[in-house]
């Protein structure tokens, strides 16, 4: 052993001295310095612009985490067992509350700060924010928004983690189809209680975050039954485990879902009820109530409407997922872009230095559009969340314009889906762009992939969710067609007012220069949406007219792939571009506008490129323009390449939070990786099972077993 | 606890009884019976056709594994620590050797059987086959093909695992650019030894499979230095760890790479040499040798050629990766298709039963093309591996036609890339198509994703590798252009003989019926390849002519994205379709041809659909045809949907090997999942850290820390 460690010391020493000299060939400042020198702006200037009023706050919050040994390593990197990872998560949750980064007063003044905290914690460990958010955010909001005075008393205990609550809607057999949930809450007049019951194991509440081992309370959605009348789903505040010994109450079967693809420090669980009695006051009764005598009282005539209104305050979940995805996107790109600029492979000819792989067109084309997307999504997210909070604000002082609610719903649904998809693809591409080293856990791309993955599923499966946006768009189109005004308080569907002009228009693009003009880009993006909607309408109609058996449901489903789904995506991408454009125009730091404009053009053209076939269907663009579009995407990738390191510098978390040897800002990828690997405990350990490698295997000693099966198989032939 | 388990028993009982009755609504035979009844063929008939001469062999091999308790659970599912997972892997490796599924005589007669065994083991656990293959396959083959008589003595010890060997080419700083490896082997005339040395930590051999803890030998590639002449990379057989105590030899620093995104029971490692002496006989000297006196003797005048010839026998690695990817693809689709047919969500109207999600057009479009790809790739793989082995066979009796070598190289390079990409996307889509339940580790899609992932990287990064195919195609095109014959012993580029006719042609498609004709499909696929090659040629030329500074290297790189890369993919897809077509035409079971033809059309049209823009660039297809193409893809998805369950039945491994509750062949997704989750150890365990959830957190008790940073940040502003 001593011998080995001597050698290691020798090599590690070499690693340290070599890294900063020969290999990189770069000037002082490390392997990334040359790219940083090429960029048109200072990353810190960009960061200040992007973070805006939260610039100092984020800085201080990062500094706080960095001085705390508990935050030295993200949970997923500790290689802990699931059990220990959860233990660590509890410690982290408690610590975050101890810091109290935001006070109630802060939140009151600027609710967006909650998202800032959540995203910042996510950049450290993806499952930490949801873990806190599920109880202190979602669960608490249920009490506030669905409950009444009597439910508010729990809030202080939630804030101090004495009560940990969860949100139990999904069942084993039902997720997307919310209306089909089977759990019942039958009112018992005599005892003035509800009897919660799972009529079958299929009704077991499933997937509930924090329920596996942590939560002691849940908001459970169950069908409210009085006598023989089923009033549909209602929310109930349900004690699950005792406060004294954390064991489930009688009548409650609660358990853990076990290992997931990611987010394993967050415990998802299931619960079934066996005639479990809870007091009448457990009903979260803001919108509907049951009198002690068992009379049902509701502002809504229709159970579906009531349910919709009940869930409405939770729409913030989708907005916040855009932020979580974006946070993951930033980390992934910080890693892959820096590595691509530092990793050299192949040289044009002998005796010429190798090129950083970011210099290859293919690598640029694989990564740069995501860098653009990262910036475009960020400005969209700031805009969307701003409107989300002001909508919540207005809701306090009176009813909100239903048109605004509908538009926000459409935007957050498609926004969540599109942000999730882009991030999914960017992470996978990043992993592949880092070659072999991308497959090492320590470099963090795997964790990002696994932890980001459920963003596509929870808070609504993306492919189901985006249909809400399609519905909104079809309604908007119908308004246009029937001469009614387009209702668009946020302006996202205002372009439909020019529907017929758009549909008949052609793209006015003659040179690459035209392709950089936001108005020209938006024209194409709006045309694409309008065209797809028109086609969707035509298709829907032709299916409906094709036979008597066809109902709206199946006509709708048969119009999904190329029309409704495509239109909703196109719509959202157009909104992203429009908002990015608006942000750039009002960007106070004029020197940043140049690079931001390139990112806008790259993002828009990249998304249009995938739909050239659609744009050509009705000759909106010519073949020549299509070629120009493709060439311009490549040209922009090449330009953005020189800005890319600074662009990711401006959005990356600090090195000790990003925690990726090949993604560190110093670009010393080999030194960092080498030192990380060689100092990992166990690195030089002799396999404890080494002796079991001997004696030599008796080759074929069990062959008789196989032979007998072979005989049987052949004779049965 | 007793109370809890009573409830569980109650619920589990319900689960068992309920599952086979009410919920599914299906007739006896479970939730999948109705789809099975709709299909046009018997899965077992299909399996017999697909497995061909290996049908009985595979049956017997599965039966053998199933009776063995060691194979009760795939390693990745055991939730073992990395240490224990590797221990388990050693046991499994030894056991496989004990069964000796193939004898030397079997292999001699039909070498393909090695791939059958490897794929079958992969269906059980993805990292098991590589683990065995790296030593018993790749390492052994290095000795056989690169070494001479004196190296063969190790073979028996390799076969019994006494010697475990690995393949060490990649270094920390170099992977794809093989020529830049830095490890040196300097010949010392006086002692007649080579001195292996890592001149810098950057030269550390990295990523080497089995080297982390298992291997005692390695084939190391190092630059052979005699005097001051560098003869380039040569392979050496190098002892790494002693046979007696499994400790590294002095001068050898060997360690473990730690956790990877997947394949964690396989230990990847690194090794650096410090003036480590090995005997002259260690050089694997088939193609080049050093005499005792230090004279260098080689059949090759050029180091690069020599290196190419040295590695040539290993091209089988890429062929076998096609098989590994295909195996993963089959498992993923078995899970997602069965689940989609069993999972019901939403109904057209109240009181109507919910629809299986496979009935939704979107779900069909997301999954069915991959089902088609799975069959298309399978026939391509059988064809490719057949030719691979006959090429190896001919190599024994004399030199092989260089044109054949070149064509095989192009096919296996692009084949590996395309199979890897399709499988990557199919697994991710499968995970998403299973909604929330797809995110449970027990359902196995995560393991498949993580374990399949490196197929994109090792044996050549896909995006680098496929450039080999581009080169081959450009050479073929040049031959055509200069009036030379197209050299294509396997016929894959024979279509280039009609290059100019193809380029000028139009697609003869008037109706959906035309789109089902293989000749029509192949016409489009060949046109696409030819067109992209032509464009690539034009582009290359125009770049070369554009300025004096431009070298071939950078012209090549600037022609990647839309041309060279795209052409290589298009070429390979055309080969897949051509081989699938040939297979169908000679399929002995005539009743299967119908469904196979649909799969062929779906695969081909789906791949063309993504390139409609390209096909329209020069008006090969009209806008009308483009629309028809898109509609036909959807129509075929709808048709294949009714065959899909049987199609995956025919390729899925047995349930106990697939090991996915929602993917089991009985389709009892809820019962299986419920029982798996509730019987997982720890499911009902109270969190060991529950007491740490109390006392209530002192909210804000550490706020002062944050405040101080906040103050600092704001004042520095
Ligand atoms: C990590 C994680 C945490 C979660 N946390 C919670 C929680 O705290 N509380 C809670 O209540 N739930 C939670 N969930 C559950 C989650 O909300 C659901 O999984 C989600 O809503 C998706 O529903 P599903 O699983 O039923 O998907 P399904 O609807 O079954 O989807 C399966 C497939 O069918 C497709 N599909 C379904 N309907 C249609 C249609 N009409 N048209 C086209 N395609 C269709 C989908 O696109 C998908 O491909 C969590 C899930 C996960 C993975
Ligand atoms: C699980 C695993 C097991 C392995 N096992 C072994 C083993 O047993 N023995 C062994 O010797 N090695 C092994 N390897 C190493 C493996 O062979 C290399 O990782 C692989 O060849 C890729 O090379 P790289 O990592 O250098 O990628 P790089 O070449 O560094 O690629 C990084 C990025 O640059 C891009 N790029 C590079 N060059 C170009 C170009 N010219 N044009 C366009 N783009 C370019 C790539 O596409 C990629 O996106 C293993 C790797 C893994 C992940």
């Amino acid at each position: 052993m001593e011998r080995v460690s001597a050698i290691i010391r020798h090599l590690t020493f070499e690693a340290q001295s070599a890294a900063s000299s020969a290999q990189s060939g770069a000037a002082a400042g490390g392997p990334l310095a040359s790219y940083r020198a090429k960029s048109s702006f200072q990353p810190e200037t960009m960061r200040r612009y992007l973070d805006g009023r939260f610039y100092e706050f984020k800085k201080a919050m990062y500094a706080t985490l960095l001085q705390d040994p508990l935050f030295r390593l993200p949970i997923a990197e500790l290689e802990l067992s699931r059990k220990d990872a959860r233990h660590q998560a509890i410690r982290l949750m408690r610590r975050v509350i101890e810091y109290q980064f935001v006070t109630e007063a802060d939140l009151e003044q600027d609710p967006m700060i909650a998202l800032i905290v959540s995203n910042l914690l996510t950049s450290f460990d993806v499952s930490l924010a949801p873990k806190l958010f599920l109880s202190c955010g979602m669960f608490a909001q249920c009490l506030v928004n669905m409950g009444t005075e009597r439910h508010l008393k729990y809030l202080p205990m939630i804030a101090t983690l004495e009560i940990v609550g969860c949100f139990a809607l999904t069942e084993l057999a039902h997720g997307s189809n919310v209306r089909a949930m089977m759990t019942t809450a039958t009112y018992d007049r005599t005892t003035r209680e509800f009897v919660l019951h799972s009529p079958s194991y299929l009704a077991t509440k499933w997937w509930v975050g924090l329920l596996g081992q942590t939560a002691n309370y849940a908001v459970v959605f169950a069908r409210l039954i009085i006598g023989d009348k089923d009033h549909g789903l209602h929310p109930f505040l349900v004690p699950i485990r005792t406060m004294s010994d954390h064991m489930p109450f009688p009548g409650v079967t609660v358990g853990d879902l076990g290992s997931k693809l990611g987010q394993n420090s967050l415990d998802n669980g299931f619960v079934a009820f066996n005639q479990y009695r809870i007091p009448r006051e457990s009903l979260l009764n803001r919108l509907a109530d049951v009198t002690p005598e068992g009379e049902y009282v509701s502002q809504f005539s229709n159970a579906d409407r009531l349910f919709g209104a009940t869930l409405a305050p939770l729409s913030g979940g989708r907005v916040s997922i855009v932020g979580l995805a974006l946070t993951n996107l930033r980390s992934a790109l910080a890693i892959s872009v820096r590595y691509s600029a530092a990793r050299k492979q192949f040289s044009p000819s002998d005796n010429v230095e190798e090129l950083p792989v970011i210099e290859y067109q293919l690598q640029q084309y694989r990564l740069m559009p995501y860098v653009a997307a990262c910036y475009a999504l960020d400005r969209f997210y700031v805009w969307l969340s701003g409107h989300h909070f002001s909508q919540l604000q207005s809701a306090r002082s009176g009813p909100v314009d239903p048109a605004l609610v509908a538009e926000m719903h459409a935007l957050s649904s498609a926004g969540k889906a599109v942000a999730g998809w882009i991030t999914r693809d960017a992470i996978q591409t990043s992993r592949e762009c880092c070659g072999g080293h991308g497959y090492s856990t320590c470099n963090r791309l795997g964790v990002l992939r696994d932890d980001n993955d459920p963003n596509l599923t929870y808070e609504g499966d993306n492919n189901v969710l985006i249909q809400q946006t399609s519905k909104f768009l079809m309604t908007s189109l119908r308004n246009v067609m029937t001469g009614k005004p387009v209702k668009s308080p946020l302006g996202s569907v205002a372009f439909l007012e020019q529907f017929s002009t758009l549909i008949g228009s052609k793209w006015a693009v003659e040179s690459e220069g035209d392709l950089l003009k936001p108005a020209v880009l938006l024209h194409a993006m709006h045309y694409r949406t309008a065209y797809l909607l028109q086609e969707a309408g035509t298709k829907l109609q032709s299916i409906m007219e094709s036979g008597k058996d066809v109902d709206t449901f199946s006509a709708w489903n048969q119009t999904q792939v190329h029309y409704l789904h495509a239109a909703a995506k196109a719509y959202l991408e157009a909104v992203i571009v429009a908002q990015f454009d608006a942000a750039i125009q009002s960007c106070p730091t004029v020197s940043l506008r140049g690079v931001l404009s390139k990112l806008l053009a790259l993002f828009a053209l990249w998304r249009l490129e995938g739909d050239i076939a659609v744009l050509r269907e009705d000759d909106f663009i010519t073949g020549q323009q299509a070629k120009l579009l493709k060439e311009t995407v490549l040209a922009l990738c090449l330009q953005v390449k020189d800005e890319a390191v600074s662009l990711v510098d401006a959005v990356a978390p600090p090195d000790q939070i990003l925690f990726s040897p090949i993604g560190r800002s110093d670009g010393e990828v080999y030194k960092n990786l080498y030192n990380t690997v060689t100092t990992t405990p166990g690195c030089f350990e002799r396999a404890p099972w080494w002796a079991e490698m001997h004696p030599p295997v008796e080759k074929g000693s069990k062959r008789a077993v196989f032979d007998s099966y072979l005989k049987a198989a052949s004779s049965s032939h």
Side-chain angles (χ1 to χ4, degrees), chain A:
Chain A
M1 270 321 276
E2 258 170 60
R3 176 166 46 72
V4 175
S5 29
I7 299 168
I8 300 157
R9 252 177 280 123
H10 162 73
L11 276 161
T12 311
F13 171 74
E14 272 193 69
Q16 273 150 2
S17 58
S20 48
S21 60
Q23 147 68 14
S24 73
L32 302 179
S34 63
Y35 286 103
R36 290 194 174 117
K38 278 186 220 169
S39 89
S40 67
F41 63 97
Q42 289 298 324
E44 207 52 32
T45 312
M46 181 66 90
R47 186 185 289 274
R48 205 178 273 274
Y49 160 61
L50 294 175
D51 288 348
R53 64 188 188 277
F54 301 111
Y55 178 74
E56 286 86 13
F57 179 88
K58 287 176 74 170
K59 235 176 157 164
M61 186 166 158
Y62 270 131
T64 307
L65 300 189
L66 290 178
Q67 56 77 44
D68 189 328
L70 249 192
F71 286 84
R72 224 197 47 239
L73 266 183
I75 304 177
E77 268 68 15
L78 291 170
E79 276 210 73
L80 298 172
S81 69
R82 186 148 40 85
K83 212 181 246 180
D84 294 337
R86 290 176 180 182
H87 193 166
Q88 176 74 358
I90 283 290
R91 291 193 197 113
L92 287 167
M93 279 170 79
R94 292 177 65 91
R95 184 57 53 87
V96 170
I97 305 237
E98 284 169 357
Y99 285 122
Q100 197 186 22
F101 295 106
V102 283
T103 62
E104 260 95 90
D106 296 337
L107 271 177
E108 189 63 32
Q109 209 195 320
D110 195 345
M112 183 95 90
I113 206 157
L115 295 183
I116 300 293
V117 171
S118 154
N119 294 337
L120 199 142
L121 292 175
T122 297
S123 72
F124 168 70
D125 189 282
V126 181
S127 47
L128 186 57
K131 207 157 169 160
L132 270 165
F133 169 79
L134 278 170
S135 181
C136 302
M138 198 159 177
F139 174 72
Q141 275 166 34
C142 286
L143 304 198
V144 173
N145 292 304
M146 302 173 190
T148 51
E149 203 55 35
R150 67 182 181 229
H151 301 111
L152 301 184
K153 65 168 185 247
Y154 297 99
L155 294 181
M157 284 188 281
I158 297 173
T160 57
L161 295 189
E162 243 184 317
I163 286 182
V164 175
C166 58
F167 179 86
L169 173 56
T170 306
E171 295 176 357
L172 178 58
H174 288 98
S176 299
N177 187 10
V178 176
R179 304 196 321 165
M181 299 300 165
M182 297 187 287
T183 305
T184 53
T186 308
Y187 188 63
D188 181 343
R189 243 168 281 233
T190 53
T191 60
R192 300 191 169 172
E193 289 170 324
F194 288 105
V195 186
L196 269 184
H197 191 65
S198 312
S200 141
Y201 79 107
L202 298 170
T204 308
K205 293 290 174 188
W206 206 264
W207 269 118
V208 185
L210 292 177
L211 183 59
Q213 298 193 288
T214 316
N216 38 30
Y217 276 84
V219 167
V220 173
F221 284 81
R223 318 191 75 83
L224 197 170
I225 314 274
I226 307 177
D228 49 13
K229 181 138 175 65
D230 179 342
H231 293 275
L233 284 190
H234 287 68
F236 298 85
L237 174 63
V238 182
I240 299 289
R241 294 181 171 96
T242 72
M243 302 284 273
S244 57
D245 69 358
H246 207 63
M247 290 299 284
F249 288 101
V252 176
T253 304
V254 57
D256 192 272
L257 280 195
S259 174
K260 310 190 296 287
L261 307 203
Q263 299 198 357
N264 272 308
S265 60
L266 201 167
D267 49 312
N268 290 76
F270 61 87
V271 63
F273 303 103
N274 190 6
Q275 311 288 356
Y276 180 55
R277 291 177 168 267
I278 51 175
R280 186 185 67 92
E281 292 74 17
S282 309
L283 177 64
L284 296 173
N285 58 337
R286 166 169 291 222
L287 299 179
D289 205 353
V290 174
T291 65
E293 295 69 35
E295 197 193 339
Y296 181 73
V297 195
S298 165
Q299 311 171 16
F300 292 82
S301 53
N302 172 310
D304 284 347
R305 287 256 170 76
L306 166 65
F307 185 65
T310 307
L311 288 193
L314 300 180
S315 68
R318 287 189 295 277
V319 175
S320 63
I321 287 177
V322 176
L324 300 183
L326 184 57
T327 305
N328 296 332
L329 179 59
R330 290 169 157 196
S331 295
L333 291 173
I335 299 166
S336 55
V337 167
R338 286 172 178 163
Y339 181 70
S340 297
R343 174 74 167 180
K344 294 180 180 176
Q345 211 74 191
F346 297 105
S347 60
S349 56
D350 291 347
N351 308 322
V352 173
E353 223 196 326
E354 289 179 290
L355 293 181
V357 295
I358 205 175
E359 293 298 328
Y360 296 107
Q361 188 191 58
L362 204 53
Q363 189 88 349
Q364 289 162 18
Y365 186 70
R366 289 160 72 197
L367 284 176
M368 296 308 125
Y370 291 110
V371 174
C374 175
Y375 274 74
L377 272 173
D378 175 73
R379 295 296 88 183
F380 164 74
Y381 170 62
V382 167
W383 174 80
L384 183 73
S385 49
H387 282 291
H388 167 70
F389 287 116
S390 51
Q391 184 189 329
L392 285 188
Q393 194 79 13
S394 356
R396 292 207 206 161
S397 49
V400 181
D401 176 6
L404 179 62
V405 175
E407 192 170 12
M408 271 304 291
H409 185 66
L411 284 165
S412 64
S413 298
K416 182 238 167 196
V418 168
W421 283 323
I422 288 180
T423 301
R424 169 198 65 191
D425 295 341
I427 295 173
Q428 180 62 29
T429 296
S430 290
R431 157 24 221 130
E432 293 171 31
C433 279
C434 294
H437 297 324
Y439 196 64
S440 274
T441 303
C442 67
N443 288 322
R444 205 118 183 265
L445 292 165
V447 173
L448 287 170
R449 175 171 77 189
D450 292 341
D451 286 358
N452 183 68
D453 196 20
N455 283 334
L456 308 172
T457 303
Y458 51 39
E459 297 277 331
D461 168 272
N462 274 6
N463 285 290
V464 176
L465 194 58
I466 205 169
Q467 296 185 33
Q468 306 281 327
T469 308
S470 310
K471 276 201 184 110
F472 166 77
L473 292 172
M474 289 311 287
T475 308
S476 305
L477 181 64
R478 202 174 312 120
N479 286 344
V480 172
M481 293 305 202
T482 53
K484 291 192 202 130
V486 179
K487 293 185 200 151
S488 184
L490 298 174
S492 73
V493 277
F495 70 97
L496 286 180
E497 309 239 334
Q498 278 81 49
F499 180 75
S500 47
T501 326
L502 259 180
I503 287 290
S505 67
K506 305 279 169 235
W507 211 18
V509 164
E510 281 170 11
S511 67
E512 204 178 295
D514 292 336
L515 284 174
L516 306 178
K517 297 178 187 155
V520 170
L521 298 168
L522 275 167
H523 177 203
M525 303 210 84
H526 287 148
Y527 166 83
R528 179 173 61 148
T529 315
Y531 173 78
L532 288 167
L533 285 174
Q534 171 190 261
E535 292 294 293
T538 314
K539 182 82 187 172
L540 271 172
Q541 203 170 342
S542 82
I543 297 175
M544 291 300 288
E545 286 166 2
S546 69
K548 279 187 206 128
D549 294 355
V550 192
D551 50 25
T552 353
F553 184 81
S554 76
W556 178 264
N557 288 323
Q558 289 170 50
T559 314
Q560 277 302 315
V561 174
H562 297 310
Y563 307 105
L564 291 167
H565 181 92
K569 263 179 78 176
Y571 155 74
L572 204 275
E573 289 171 6
V575 176
I576 293 176
V577 173
Q579 292 315 321
F580 195 12
D581 180 38
I584 296 172
Q585 285 185 34
S586 62
C587 170
T589 321
V590 182
S591 65
L592 298 175
R593 288 191 197 165
V595 63
L596 293 172
S597 300
K598 278 184 198 166
L599 295 172
L600 180 146
L602 177 53
F603 177 74
L605 291 173
W606 174 56
R607 301 318 280 184
L608 291 172
E609 187 183 29
D611 267 341
I612 286 178
V614 170
L615 299 174
R616 290 204 61 190
E617 270 182 24
D618 215 14
D619 297 319
F620 172 74
I621 68 169
T622 64
Q624 214 41 47
Q625 289 174 329
K627 280 196 175 176
L628 191 64
L629 195 166
K630 284 161 70 172
E631 288 303 320
T632 308
V633 169
L634 293 176
L636 284 166
C637 284
L638 185 66
Q639 292 172 40
V640 169
K641 176 259 299 179
D642 284 335
E643 309 268 21
V645 171
S646 293
L647 285 168
V648 300
D649 283 347
V651 298
D655 286 337
Q656 304 95 306
I657 295 284
L658 181 61
F659 205 73
S660 167
I662 62 168
R664 276 181 78 94
S665 57
D666 64 6
E668 300 286 5
V669 296
Y670 302 121
K671 186 186 78 176
N672 299 334
L673 183 57
Y674 187 90
N675 290 344
T676 302
V677 166
T678 54
T679 56
T680 297
C683 172
F684 293 102
E685 192 180 274
R686 180 172 60 181
W689 35 262
W690 74 273
E692 273 189 51
M693 292 175 58
H694 307 275
V697 191
E698 285 186 67
K699 191 173 164 187
S701 54
K702 285 184 174 280
R703 167 84 193 195
V705 181
F706 176 56
D707 275 337
S708 68
Y709 285 112
L710 201 53
K711 214 164 176 180
S714 310
S715 65
S716 78
H717 189 29

